[in-house]
Amino acid sequence: MAGGQRQKFDNPVVEWVDSRLPVFTLMQKEYGVFPTPRNFNYFWNFGAIAMFMLVTMIVTGITLAMQYTSSTSMAFDSVERIMRDVNYGWLIRYIHMNGASFFFIAVYIHIFRGMYYGSYKQPRELLWILGVVIFLLMMATAFMGYVLPWGQMSYWGATVITNLFSAVPVVGDDIVTLLWGGFSVDDATLKRFFALHYLLPFVIFAVVFLHVWALHVTGSNNPTGVEPKGKQDTLPFHPYYTMKDTFGLIVFVIIYAAFVFFMPNALGHPDNYIPADPLVTPAHIVPEWYFLPFYAILRAITFDLGIPFTEVVLIEAKLGGVIAMFGAIVLLLIMPWLDTHPVRSARYRPWYKKTLLVFVFGVVVLGYAGSQPADKVYWQTCIGSEAACEATDAHHGAADATGHHDVAEKAPTVLKFDNTMLAQLFTIYYYAFFLVILPLLSRKEQALPIPKSIHEAVLAKSKAKETK
Amino acid sequence: MKNSILSILAIACAMLGSVQTVSAAGDVAKPKQMDWSFSGPFGTYDKAALQRGFLVFKSVCASCHSLDKIAFRNLEALGYEEAQIKTLAAEYTVTDGPNDEGEMFDRPARPSDYFPNPYPNKAAAKYANNGAYPPDLSLMTKARKDGANYVYSLLTGYKDAPEHVHLMNGQYYNPYMAGGVIAMPAPLSDGQVGYEDGTATTVDQYAKDVVHFLNWAAEPELEARKRMGVKVLIFLSIFALVMYGVKRKIWHDVH
Ligand code: HEM
């Protein structure tokens, strides 16, 4: 970054600036000739896509803030005013609203890429940790953003999530009061959430800067997980990756635009078009889709943890849920130390690959579980006399419609698999993947032969193509 | 390469799949699926239907429901002339003021006024409706899942209550309503509103028209949005093709 030996630019204006502040040299070095592995696949596109989304969110967000009013009596109507009376207000709002979802889609794929190809491993641990920090900040930002339109889900989502902090021992209630700025989710809450929602994206921007800086120190990983060994393994970033990234970005934006223009509310909840009402609780309070897996983990802990065979409760269910939810992200944070296998890429680690794909499947199932009511029953069977079983069935049906409860005298045993159990099952796998499978594979897994260099891998691939 | 793109798509689809939110408790009937002119990527509103729907809204629903987000001037989008809107607005009285003497006064509504609320406040609305609040209808089709079909099904779905459902005074049975019980009496009946264009004056037709109108009230930007969307997608697709060509050319001697 320092002056040093700087190459002169032909353009006199550029040269004048660069000799005083070498920004052009910097860009040239970091984005022009920056040596980049030649074998990236399209998974390597999602960092640039996430960057594009961040900028999109900041630009549309600031534009919305010019018309938005953060008081509980006016927030909902001010958003509707933007939708109806502000020129192209609907466009800006739908871009921002769906942008949050597509930002998360990009970042989830980006994180998956890192896991699959072992990008979190030495020497990229700090780069990875900065990424998880960005992810956490994004979740905080998105959560607070969702509160701003002050619809029913805004209000009740905020109430449920802020209440979680009351589970924290000793200081819990104080934290909640601080978050609320009072004694319930109200005007003060909305105002501080707006202030923070405006602030956090810039904090994210700063962390992204560090993230990319760290990337440019270690250089990028690549699908083989083998470090580049020389010029034959890399290409200059420009024009190779600038053009490839632009192409990928546009394909991504096409899908994004299809949502913005043709199904702008498909990813949202209809209840958020009902103004917030503290007196009416929605039938099911569900967070935005990108939080659902974590919400499922939160709800999976339905039992107190204590010393067995005594009445002593160490961790109440509510606190347990909160710990499990945040723990799920802490596990990501320490992943570089849980997986110490010397081979990076899942391509050459058959067991890691399988267990990781099951993990991804598990997260998707958790997302589904998070969207369903906790007591939803997927399968059940009744062991006992036929009559008794029928009685429980009938009781079930009638209770729904009229609220009558006829309790059968001799209750049969009902075996069932419900939504909570589904969430518990995959929460266990989530934790086991990090805490059992990764350390175990680190020691036991026999990797497939890895190519000597990127160059060799690329050549082998094109040869295979030719002989076909 | 193809594999990774496919897997990205698969993940994206799986995520979208998981988005489906829960339907309310109990067995709620699935809304009838109608063929609306405004659905689909090229959807537009039918102005005649909008005007008929407005007529139904104004002569039936407006006696209980507000339509807060719509001003008379917005009705231009239904195809009314400025003069027509002036006359239309003048049928309503709004309270204005204070005047120079500090008094509030009533005057005929102007195009810039918003649709007046049938009740002075929420308590009055509840009191007049057996304790149930008739919600504002400006966003109704967005505020329910599958909104347009839902409201249509609700309006045409009133039935005699099955045996196990006990209705209290002021309650009606409607299988499309969450829980099956609704406090709104069936608002529509055949021949209730006269149409000038010869369209059938049936409950079914009224329901279709008023839903058309309510969908416009909820999404007045829909036509502009879809029109722009088609242009944006065409532009982006061409851009993507060009970039694909550029990328291939640049990468030509690398592979
Ligand atoms: C605001 C969100 C984010 C932005 C804008 C962003 C941006 C970027 C960019 C531009 C790159 C280089 C291109 C690439 O390799 O794809 C990158 C690399 C990377 N990011 Fe992110 N990122 C974000 C979030 C995250 C998160 C949440 C994580 C992980 C938890 C993460 C982990 C990584 C890793 C490990 C790399 C290096 C990958 C490699 O070289 O293989 N990033 N990021």
Side-chain angles (χ1 to χ4, degrees), chain A residues 202-404:
Chain A
F202 296 92
V203 178
I204 295 179
F205 207 91
V207 184
V208 169
F209 177 80
L210 297 179
H211 181 78
V212 174
W213 187 0
L215 173 75
H216 282 216
V217 173
T218 62
S220 293
N221 185 24
N222 67 81
T224 64
V226 178
E227 294 290 333
K229 300 211 167 71
K231 271 216 143 70
Q232 72 284 5
D233 287 345
T234 63
L235 293 167
F237 191 77
H238 180 74
Y240 292 98
Y241 285 111
T242 42
M243 293 303 129
K244 190 173 174 178
D245 281 357
T246 311
F247 169 63
L249 173 66
I250 294 179
V251 173
F252 183 84
V253 172
I254 287 178
I255 304 171
Y256 174 24
F259 273 84
V260 167
F261 290 104
F262 299 113
M263 35 192 162
N265 296 303
L267 299 171
H269 197 292
D271 276 18
N272 230 25
Y273 281 107
I274 304 171
D277 185 346
L279 301 177
V280 181
T281 320
H284 298 286
I285 302 173
V286 271
E288 291 277 84
W289 68 266
Y290 36 81
F291 293 131
L292 289 174
F294 299 102
Y295 190 57
I297 293 177
L298 170 80
R299 292 195 305 174
I301 311 300
T302 49
F303 42 85
D304 297 336
L305 280 178
I307 302 169
F309 311 116
T310 63
E311 301 277 296
V312 184
V313 173
L314 295 177
I315 300 175
E316 275 185 40
K318 188 171 170 189
L319 179 59
V322 175
I323 293 175
M325 180 171 72
F326 284 106
I329 294 165
V330 172
L331 289 177
L332 272 178
L333 218 53
I334 58 173
M335 191 174 178
W337 293 276
L338 295 173
D339 175 13
T340 52
H341 196 279
V343 172
R344 286 203 185 93
S345 173
R347 271 192 191 170
Y348 310 108
R349 295 184 58 189
W351 279 101
Y352 175 64
K353 181 171 169 175
K354 281 187 199 110
T355 50
L356 175 65
L357 292 178
V358 174
F359 172 80
V360 173
F361 173 76
V363 171
V364 174
V365 174
L366 280 173
Y368 175 76
S371 74
Q372 301 299 310
D375 54 4
K376 179 173 172 174
V377 176
Y378 294 105
W379 173 86
Q380 76 173 15
T381 187
C382 182
I383 304 168
S385 70
E386 223 171 271
C389 281
E390 248 166 47
T392 24
D393 270 1
H395 150 221
H396 223 85
D400 277 351
T402 60
H404 280 304

Side-chain angles (χ1 to χ4, degrees), chain A residues 43-48 50-51 54 103 107 110-111 113-114 119-120 124 127-128 131-132 134-135 138 204 208 211-212 215 219-222:
Chain A
F43 274 122
W44 263 260
N45 219 215
F46 287 91
M51 189 71 205
L54 178 60
F103 196 178
V107 165
H110 189 68
I111 295 175
R113 186 280 317 264
S119 304
Y120 50 88
R124 297 187 182 81
L127 171 59
W128 171 260
V132 179
I134 293 168
F135 181 48
M138 276 175 68
I204 295 179
V208 169
H211 181 78
V212 174
L215 173 75
S220 293
N221 185 24
N222 67 81

